[in-house]
């Protein structure tokens, strides 16, 4: 129940990441949860909603779903807007080097987002996507100019990228300390360590301390290498915007198909990608945010599994969910986070003010 309450609190961020209607954000999150229903139950392993398709035994894979929602839907939108001329961009490497005053002005946002990304990275199976969304949402809540978010706000960019980078180091914590991979990449790293006769866990610090400090040093050097690469290559990357859409969009589509097919070497994942691409396009047209959908899709199986464990452990009783200290704290925090924007809108309406967003 402790873990279920923690995941529930993260899922309540659905209400926070919605830049428009609160109800639309919750609806999008519910659709994400609904999309996790086909496949094996995370509690007892029984099959449900497979409709006779063996490919659905493990449910929808995350990668084709994300590619469809964010890439294919954007390709469809760009095809419909093919007659529009993109804005000319002049590559300038100096524009990416922030001044000292600009950096100091974002120190609170940077620190908060890094800590949030690290903690989310520690949670197994959550990933960088949720870390970026959570940090972006927190930055919007604390910002003095929240209306600029979604329109190129520097605070949003700093928050999401700081959290995205922080989740990498956070995901290594459970891997090295307990042998539990925090992400798909860490699972591959775990397999590589086992192949070489290394057993991640508490004893790794005692038996192979050189490996632990090598991993830490490699992460540090990787950040420096990425800084150098981005400074050098940013000019050429920016030139991608000058490529005609007639050449760029088919290339992107081909890479999307190849990436989805290569996941399990089956066409089913390609059809899943195309289906969720259409769904993402329709959601964008209906002003339904995609971020809550992803949160619901990623966290729903974790919440269901942990809830099932709690019910089994306590013989079907939900009472410990509200009485155990850790679980009660996270559950209460989730309820407060859900009620806060609703109370704010009701208070603004009562005082004759204009709510920040429709309910």
């Amino acid at each position: 129940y402790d873990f279920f309450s923690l995941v529930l609190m993260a899922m309540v961020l659905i209400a926070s990441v919605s830049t428009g209607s609160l109800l639309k954000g919750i609806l999008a999150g519910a659709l994400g949860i609904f999309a996790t229903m086909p496949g094996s139950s995370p509690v007892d392993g029984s099959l449900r909603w497979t409709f006779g398709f063996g490919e659905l035994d493990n449910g929808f894979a995350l990668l084709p779903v994300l590619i469809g929602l964010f890439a294919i839907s954007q390709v469809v939108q760009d095809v419909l807007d093919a007659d529009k001329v993109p804005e000319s961009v002049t590559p300038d490497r100096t524009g990416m080097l922030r001044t000292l005053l600009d950096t100091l002005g974002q120190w609170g946002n940077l620190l908060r987002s890094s800590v949030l990304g690290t903690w989310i990275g520690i949670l197994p199976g959550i990933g960088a996507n949720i870390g970026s969304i959570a940090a972006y949402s927190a930055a919007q809540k604390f910002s003095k100019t929240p209306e600029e978010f979604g329109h190129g706000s520097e605070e949003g960019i700093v928050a999401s990228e700081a959290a995205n980078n922080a989740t990498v180091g956070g995901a290594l914590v459970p891997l090295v300390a307990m042998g539990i991979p925090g992400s798909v990449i860490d699972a591959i790293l775990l397999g590589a360590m086992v192949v070489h006769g290394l057993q991640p866990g508490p004893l790794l610090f005692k038996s192979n301390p050189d490996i632990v400090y090598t991993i830490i040093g490699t992460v540090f050097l990787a950040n420096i290498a990425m800084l150098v690469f981005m400074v050098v290559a940013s000019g050429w990357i920016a030139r991608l915007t000058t490529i005609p859409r007639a050449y760029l969009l088919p290339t992107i589509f081909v890479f999307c198909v190849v990436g989805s097919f290569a996941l399990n070497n089956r066409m089913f994942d390609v059809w899943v990608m195309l289906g969720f691409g259409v769904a993402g396009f329709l959601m964008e047209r209906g002003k339904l945010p995609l971020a809550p959908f992803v949160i619901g899709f990623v966290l729903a199986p974790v919440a269901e599994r942990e809830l099932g464990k709690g019910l089994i452990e306590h013989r079907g009783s939900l009472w410990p969910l509200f009485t155990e200290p850790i679980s009660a704290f996270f559950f209460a925090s989730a309820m407060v986070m859900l009620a806060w924007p609703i109370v704010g809108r009701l208070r603004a309406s009562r005082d004759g003010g204009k709510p920040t967003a429709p309910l």
Side-chain angles (χ1 to χ4, degrees), residues 203-346:
L203 295 180
L204 185 63
F205 288 85
K206 182 178 180 180
S207 58
N208 300 96
D210 54 328
I211 298 297
V212 176
Y213 291 109
T214 298
I215 294 175
I216 297 174
T218 301
V219 173
F220 178 74
L221 293 176
N223 281 277
I224 298 177
M226 281 301 301
L227 173 63
V228 175
F229 174 79
M230 292 307 299
V231 171
V232 174
S234 60
W236 290 288
I237 295 175
R239 291 183 185 276
L240 290 175
T241 58
T242 62
I243 300 177
R245 292 184 179 181
Y247 301 107
L248 186 61
L249 295 181
T251 304
I252 294 175
F253 181 78
V254 169
F255 276 110
C256 291
V257 172
V258 171
S260 298
F261 179 81
L263 181 64
N264 294 305
N265 293 324
R266 60 182 188 179
M267 280 298 299
F268 178 78
D269 290 325
V270 177
W271 295 118
V272 170
M273 176 200 70
L274 295 176
F276 277 94
V278 174
F281 173 75
L282 295 177
M283 289 178 64
E284 291 280 11
R285 283 298 178 95
K287 305 299 182 181
L288 290 178
L290 297 180
F293 183 98
V294 176
I295 292 177
F297 186 83
V298 172
L299 295 185
V302 181
E304 184 179 0
R305 182 179 66 248
E306 299 303 327
L307 179 61
K309 289 181 181 179
L311 290 172
I312 294 172
E313 180 181 354
H314 297 282
R315 299 181 181 181
S317 174
L318 283 171
W319 189 245
L321 179 66
F322 313 105
T323 57
E324 294 182 359
I326 298 178
S327 176
F329 171 76
F330 286 129
F331 186 85
S333 299
M335 295 302 100
V336 171
M337 292 171 60
L338 183 61
W340 188 264
I342 299 177
V343 172
R345 289 178 172 90
L346 294 177

Side-chain angles (χ1 to χ4, degrees), residues 18-38:
S18 305
T19 55
S21 170
L22 173 65
L23 293 180
K24 286 185 177 181
I26 295 177
L27 175 60
L31 291 176
I33 296 174
F34 182 78
T36 66
M37 291 295 105

Side-chain angles (χ1 to χ4, degrees), residues 107-127:
W107 72 270
N109 183 18
L110 182 64
L111 180 61
R112 179 183 60 247
S113 303
S114 299
V115 172
L116 188 59
T118 300
W119 278 105
I120 292 179
I122 293 175
L123 301 178
I126 304 301

Side-chain angles (χ1 to χ4, degrees), residues 131-155:
S132 296
I133 294 172
Y136 184 91
S137 173
Q140 186 177 16
K141 292 297 182 183
F142 285 96
S143 175
K144 296 180 180 179
T145 56
E147 67 279 357
E148 295 182 2
F149 280 69
H151 302 281
S153 171
E154 287 190 7
E155 294 178 85

